[in-house]
Structure formats: structure tokens, C-alpha cells
């Protein structure tokens, strides 16, 4: 059931402050903390979510908790557990309904299930909290717990929704209606963008965008030999072709050996020795648009799509390009029971493809037993990519896109509301209007693979955009302002 997650983040503000390009961000944060932390008093902030690994919330939590703690706000992270297996199937359905992609009804049985599991988690958390504490509920799964504790203890509760869409089709409305008693019990509601909130909250919402830690294992620079070491030692499980085909593996070991002796020109080797790689890394969720992406890649390879360049080298590039689809080992994610089914369905589509296409596709399930190892693998896979794609049908905000942009990679997103706000079309990357249309996706891949200058320019402007808006320091400042308001 309820469990506290120990956070061990060794990098302190001091360390970031020593790096010239981060000093101003750190001083802004320190100034804000000096002003606001005394107003918060000795209370503890409890971040409550539904899984400790896999997905954007779990990704952000350790840094959020440790930096708040470091600037003087005692902060702890707990995750709820479910003693009824159907609970996470229900919350996944609610998640999909909020994105307009599943239908109701949500009935009295669902409410009893939702409240029962939340009740038991609330009773356990209640043993740890003190009057005045602030409970932050991340996403709808633990919302009931927040409402119970708000009613029964002298605590403040903030709802932080990382999901939502700007329109309200029927299933979205129905899901938010189901959650309404718990949402309205909270003192504050925070959404990534204000227009993601349900009708009944309009005008009473704080907007806050996620941020990434530039030095986390997920985002830090990786020297070529380290990058190669991570990939070779990862023991990646491929659900399809071998992860590293013999030829690929050969190039990796050559590069690894070469860069150990000549680390300075390892990067050049990367370009020379690798084939172009297109990567999508996400949870195994049909909303991530896996299947149309796979079909698009098959069209690109079989020349069904228009060739963006008459240069014969481009045709060669398309022959060589590989697609890597990677996501967490589905058995390790407690709050995503649909992942197995969605991965199975993707594999069934994969099996229908011609052998020559299948040979250039690797579908990888990444080990999740070590947070650090998983992060390093994602980092290495992104860094050896030519293009990172996030073909989501719906996305409130795609951290994977921010991570790729930080690494100066051109990205292909979609018209999903979060992605089209993150990526300026033709500036930081390309935006596919219809992520269900393999032809359009294939065309965008073709265009980006054909033009190295375009890729470089997009990579640079994307990195700048993340630096300006999406580093974790901004996010902590926003949290300090919000917490101070909530307890005022
Ligand atoms: N992620 C990961 N391992 C995986 C797949 C995804 O660490 O196998 C991370 C990814 O790097 C990103 C987060 O999970 O930090 C996904 O966040 P995003 O906002 O893109 O999507 P969400 O899962 O929250 O819908």
C-alpha cells in the first residue's frame, strides 16, 4: 500500500552554481527562496503520486523533492498502492477518458473502488502528517486521498494535474465530473496549461510547465565512450530483432575501442559509423501513436512516401535508417496495466511488415530495476539518434520532447495540444497534423532526414528554448510561489 520513496539526489545547487551558464538560474531561485521560504514555516510538503518509475511524473519527482528540500522546504514523496488490481485499470480508463480516448460510464461501483483504495492510502499517510502540512496530489489516481485528508486533518491540499486537453468532448467531461468532489475539496489546482482544466475550475487554476534537470542521468552530456558503454552493457531486451544487429554491434565496439584511445574525435566517429536513427521512447500506450509511426517507417523504407531530395545519397540514407521504439518493461509499471496489451498490439503490427523493414526496427523494453541505469540508457539512445519523434495522439506536455530538444536534436511532434505548444513548427522541429496518418509522418521523416542543415538549426533553437523556459529551476520557483499562496 502507501509507501514513501527515498530520494537520493547527489547534485546540489552549489554544483549547478559553479557552472557559468546556470549561475543566473540558480541565483534567481535562491532570491525567490529567501523571500518565500520564511513565509512557509516549518510545515512538510508531501508529494503524492501513483508510481515511482515510468512516465513524466516519476521522472520529475526526485529533483523537485530534493531542490525544495535544499532551499528550506521539507519535502517528501509517497506513492499510493492498490490492494485491488482493478483500481489502476479504472484510473487508466479515467486517464484515457480525460484525453477523449475512452468512454464511460463511470458508475457507483467505480466510485466505491476509487474511494476504497484512496481511503486505505489516506489512513496510512495520516500516520505521518502533522497539522499545517501541504499534500500535493499528482494526477487523478490519489485525488480521493487528498479530499479525505483535507476534510479530516488540518492540512492544505493542492491538485497538480499533468494531464488534460483544451477541449471537452463527452468522455472528458464525464471523467472530470466523476472527479469533481475530490478536485473541489482541494485548496488549489494546477494544470500544465490553464485551458486543460475542467469547466468547473475555469478561472481558478494556476498554470505551471514541467522542467528538466540538465544534469540528471537522463540529460547530462555523455562522452562517446560512456555512451557506447551504456548501450553495450545495457542487456537490452528486444521484443523484435536483436537490439544490436551484428553489423550495428560491430560498429559500436569499433567506436568504443576507437574512442577510448582517441576520445576527442569520438563524436566525429559517431556520425561516420552510425546509421541514421529515428527514435521514439515512451510508455507503451496507444496514445503515444506507436502503430502509425511504425507504419510510417515502413512506408518511408519502401519508398511509398515522396522522396524529399533527388540526391542519391538521400536514397542511401533512407536505406540505412533504423527505427528504435523503446519503452519501460511493462511488468514493472504498477499504474499502467494496459501497457502489455498495447505492446502486444504493436508487435502484431510489426509482424505484418516485410522482412526488410523488420530488420531495421528494434522494439526495446528497457530494464527498470535501476533508475540510474534506465535514465542512462534513455539518454544514450536519444543522443545517438538523428531525429527524435513523439507521435502522440494526445499529450498534455511531452517531457521526452523537452529532453530531446535539450540534447540539440530535431524533433517531430504532433498537433496534440502539449506538443504543438512545445515545438515551434519548422523552427525547433516539425509538427505532424494528423498523427494517425502514416503518409504525413513518413513525409516529415523524409524531409528531416534529407536536410542536415535544417536538423542542426532546429536542434540549436530547440536547445535554446529549453534553456529559456524548461529547466527545473524555473519550476521550483513556480512551486515556491504556489505553496506560499496555498498556505496564506
Ligand atoms: N521514460 C523512461 N524510460 C522509458 C520510457 C520513458 O525513463 O522506458 C521517461 C522519459 O524519458 C520521460 C518520461 O518517462 O522523462 C515520459 O514523460 P512524458 O511527459 O513524455 O510522458 P508520460 O509518460 O508522462 O505520458
Amino acid at each position: 500500500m502507501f509507501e514513501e520513496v527515498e530520494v537520493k539526489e547527489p547534485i546540489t545547487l552549489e554544483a549547478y552554481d559553479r557552472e557559468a551558464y546556470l549561475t543566473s538560474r540558480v541565483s534567481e531561485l535562491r532570491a525567490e527562496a529567501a523571500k518565500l521560504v520564511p513565509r512557509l514555516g516549518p510545515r512538510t510538503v508531501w508529494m503524492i503520486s501513483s508510481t515511482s518509475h515510468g512516465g513524466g511524473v516519476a521522472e520529475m519527482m526526485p529533483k523537485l523533492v530534493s531542490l525544495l528540500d535544499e532551499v528550506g522546504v521539507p519535502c517528501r514523496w509517497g506513492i499510493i498502492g492498490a490492494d485491488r488490481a482493478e483500481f489502476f485499470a479504472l484510473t487508466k480508463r479515467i486517464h484515457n477518458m480525460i484525453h477523449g480516448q475512452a468512454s464511460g460510464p463511470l458508475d457507483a461501483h467505480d466510485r466505491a473502488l476509487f474511494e476504497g483504495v484512496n481511503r486505505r492510502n489516506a489512513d496510512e499517510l495520516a500516520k505521518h502528517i502533522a497539522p499545517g502540512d501541504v499534500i500535493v496530489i499528482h494526477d487523478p489516481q490519489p485525488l480521493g486521498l487528498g479530499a479525505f485528508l483535507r476534510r479530516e486533518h488540518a492540512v492544505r491540499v493542492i491538485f497538480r494535474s499533468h494531464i488534460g486537453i483544451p477541449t471537452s468532448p463527452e468522455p472528458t467531461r464525464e471523467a472530470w465530473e466523476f472527479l469533481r468532489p475530490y478536485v473541489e475539496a482541494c485548496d488549489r489546482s494546477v494544470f500544465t496549461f490553464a485551458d486543460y482544466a475542467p469547466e468547473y475550475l475555469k478561472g481558478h487554476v494556476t498554470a505551471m510547465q514541467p522542467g528538466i534537470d540538465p544534469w540528471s542521468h537522463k540529460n547530462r552530456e555523455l562522452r562517446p565512450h560512456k555512451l557506447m558503454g551504456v548501450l553495450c552493457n545495457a542487456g537490452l531486451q528486444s521484443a523484435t530483432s536483436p537490439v544490436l544487429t551484428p553489423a550495428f554491434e560491430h560498429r559500436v565496439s569499433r567506436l568504443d575501442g576507437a574512442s577510448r584511445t582517441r576520445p576527442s574525435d569520438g563524436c566525429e566517429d559517431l556520425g561516420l559509423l552510425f546509421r541514421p536513427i529515428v527514435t521514439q521512447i515512451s510508455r507503451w500506450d496507444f496514445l503515444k501513436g506507436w502503430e502509425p509511426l511504425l507504419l510510417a517507417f515502413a512506408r518511408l523504407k519502401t519508398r511509398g512516401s515522396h522522396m524529399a531530395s533527388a540526391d542519391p545519397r538521400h536514397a542511401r540514407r533512407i536505406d540505412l535508417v533504423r527505427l528504435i521504439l523503446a519503452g519501460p518493461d511493462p511488468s514493472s509499471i504498477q499504474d499502467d496495466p494496459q501497457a502489455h496489451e498495447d505492446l502486444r498490439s504493436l508487435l502484431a503490427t510489426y509482424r505484418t511488415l516485410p522482412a526488410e523493414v523488420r530488420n531495421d526496427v528494434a522494439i526495446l523494453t528497457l530494464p527498470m530495476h535501476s533508475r540510474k541505469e534506465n535514465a542512462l540508457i534513455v539518454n544514450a539512445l536519444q543522443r545517438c539518434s538523428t531525429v527524435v519523434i513523439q507521435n502522440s495522439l494526445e499529450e498534455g506536455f511531452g517531457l521526452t520532447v523537452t529532453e530531446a530538444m535539450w540534447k540539440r536534436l530535431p524533433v517531430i511532434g504532433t498537433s496534440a495540444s502539449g506538443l504543438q505548444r512545445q515545438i515551434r513548427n519548422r523552427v525547433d522541429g516539425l509538427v505532424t497534423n494528423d498523427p494517425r496518418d502514416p503518409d504525413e509522418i513518413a513525409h516529415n521523416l523524409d524531409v528531416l532526414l534529407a536536410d542536415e542543415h535544417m536538423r542542426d538549426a532546429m536542434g540549436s533553437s530547440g536547445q535554446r528554448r529549453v534553456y529559456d523556459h524548461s529547466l527545473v529551476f524555473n519550476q521550483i520557483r513556480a512551486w515556491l510561489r504556489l505553496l506560499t499562496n496555498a498556505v496564506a
Side-chain angles (χ1 to χ4, degrees):
M1 285 298 280
F2 182 81
E3 197 186 316
E4 187 167 350
V5 187
E6 197 188 344
V7 173
K8 289 193 224 127
E9 287 285 295
I11 305 177
T12 61
L13 276 180
E14 294 280 327
Y16 295 107
D17 204 8
R18 283 196 292 272
E19 194 65 46
Y21 73 98
L22 292 178
T23 298
S24 62
R25 295 289 183 276
V26 175
S27 352
E28 286 157 4
L29 170 55
R30 286 212 168 107
E32 196 96 29
K35 205 166 54 182
L36 299 181
V37 172
R39 284 160 55 186
L40 280 171
R43 65 193 84 239
T44 297
V45 174
W46 290 87
M47 299 288 177
I48 307 298
S49 66
S50 61
T51 182
S52 59
H53 47 250
V57 177
E59 175 66 27
M60 285 183 289
M61 208 57 81
K63 196 84 241 172
L64 177 59
V65 169
S66 72
L67 282 184
L68 278 174
D69 216 65
E70 193 181 341
V71 298
V73 182
C75 192
R76 292 161 78 171
W77 176 20
I79 53 167
I80 57 165
D83 47 3
R84 303 261 312 269
E86 319 91 282
F87 175 78
F88 286 120
L90 167 65
T91 56
K92 183 76 194 194
R93 187 152 64 94
I94 293 174
H95 174 278
N96 289 344
M97 285 174 72
I98 287 177
H99 285 128
Q101 302 289 334
S103 54
L106 293 165
D107 57 21
H109 169 80
D110 295 323
R111 191 169 297 286
L113 174 64
F114 187 77
E115 292 195 356
V117 170
N118 268 283
R119 173 81 262 169
R120 290 184 283 285
N121 281 281
D123 291 344
E124 289 186 33
L125 177 56
K127 295 175 197 155
H128 305 280
I129 56 176
D133 283 358
V134 180
I135 318 267
V136 182
I137 301 296
H138 289 268
D139 282 343
Q141 298 93 326
L143 255 174
L145 166 154
F148 293 135
L149 294 181
R150 178 72 179 89
R151 209 177 305 138
E152 296 154 14
H153 298 266
V155 291
R156 294 294 164 96
V157 178
I158 297 173
F159 173 42
R160 182 6 175 158
S161 177
H162 299 266
I163 60 176
I165 53 175
T167 53
S168 299
E170 184 44 38
T172 308
R173 252 197 315 273
E174 186 181 349
W176 283 124
E177 263 327 297
F178 178 86
L179 298 170
R180 187 170 185 162
Y182 323 111
V183 174
E184 289 188 334
C186 298
D187 297 279
R188 289 278 187 288
S189 290
V190 186
F191 283 74
T192 303
F193 296 101
D195 60 355
Y196 288 3
E199 263 323 301
Y200 56 81
L201 277 180
K202 293 270 156 80
H204 301 279
V205 169
T206 304
M208 187 192 292
Q209 287 185 31
I212 59 163
D213 172 7
W215 288 4
S216 66
H217 293 300
K218 178 75 54 77
N219 296 313
R220 69 181 169 89
E221 284 287 348
L222 290 179
R223 302 280 290 274
H225 66 274
K226 173 77 181 169
L227 188 153
M228 291 306 127
V230 168
L231 290 182
C232 291
N233 296 329
L236 298 177
Q237 292 302 308
S238 172
T240 55
S241 59
V243 177
L244 305 176
T245 59
F248 188 75
E249 197 157 21
H250 177 62
R251 271 190 295 273
V252 168
S253 51
R254 264 181 62 201
L255 177 56
D256 197 26
S259 63
R260 264 186 227 287
T261 48
R262 296 179 290 115
S264 56
D265 61 6
C267 288
E268 195 186 321
D269 286 350
L270 263 184
L272 287 175
L273 297 174
F274 271 118
R275 291 156 59 171
I277 293 176
V278 174
T279 308
Q280 174 162 302
I281 304 175
S282 260
R283 288 179 296 104
W284 302 112
D285 182 331
F286 77 99
L287 284 176
K288 303 294 183 183
W290 295 106
E291 293 195 29
L293 168 57
L294 184 56
L295 295 174
F297 184 75
R299 270 180 218 186
L300 180 74
K301 293 294 268 190
T302 51
R303 304 282 153 71
S305 72
H306 177 73
M307 294 286 279
S309 162
D311 184 343
R313 282 174 304 181
H314 181 54
R316 177 81 185 123
R317 212 173 290 129
I318 298 295
D319 278 342
L320 287 175
V321 67
R322 303 188 87 217
L323 176 67
I324 295 183
L325 304 179
D329 173 359
S331 52
S332 62
I333 311 279
Q334 77 155 350
D335 68 345
D336 199 357
Q338 195 189 309
H340 280 286
E341 201 181 302
D342 289 359
L343 176 57
R344 258 197 302 274
S345 155
L346 179 66
L347 290 172
T349 306
Y350 166 84
R351 281 186 213 103
T352 65
L353 301 177
E356 69 270 22
V357 175
R358 287 204 309 268
N359 285 341
D360 286 333
V361 176
I363 300 183
L364 313 180
T365 53
L366 306 184
M368 298 300 285
H369 49 266
S370 150
R371 203 185 167 84
K372 174 178 171 187
E373 191 190 333
N374 179 267
L376 282 170
I377 295 170
V378 172
N379 189 347
L381 286 175
Q382 288 175 334
R383 283 187 192 279
C384 68
S385 302
T386 315
V387 173
V388 165
I389 186 160
Q390 187 60 50
N391 192 52
S392 304
L393 312 185
E394 283 300 342
E395 193 72 72
F397 189 97
L399 266 188
T400 47
V401 164
T402 305
E403 290 158 3
M405 283 161 80
W406 178 244
K407 297 172 180 100
R408 286 179 79 102
L409 289 162
V411 285
I412 300 181
T414 69
S415 55
S417 43
L419 298 182
Q420 57 166 306
R421 293 171 198 200
Q422 286 173 261
I423 305 166
R424 292 164 299 181
N425 192 24
R426 310 201 72 79
V427 177
D428 314 304
L430 297 177
V431 172
T432 304
N433 276 319
D434 181 359
R436 289 183 167 83
D437 177 6
D439 285 329
E440 192 189 348
I441 306 162
H443 174 74
N444 280 344
L445 282 171
D446 195 31
V447 167
L448 260 192
L449 288 169
D451 192 336
E452 189 178 352
H453 293 298
M454 186 195 278
R455 293 200 301 274
D456 279 351
M458 288 175 168
S460 307
S461 69
Q463 188 182 48
R464 180 77 216 187
R465 188 163 167 78
V466 174
Y467 177 73
D468 288 341
H469 303 286
S470 301
L471 294 187
V472 67
F473 312 102
N474 283 359
Q475 199 195 354
I476 305 292
R477 290 171 62 202
W479 270 109
L480 288 172
R481 288 192 291 269
L482 177 73
L483 290 165
T484 324
N485 273 330
V487 301

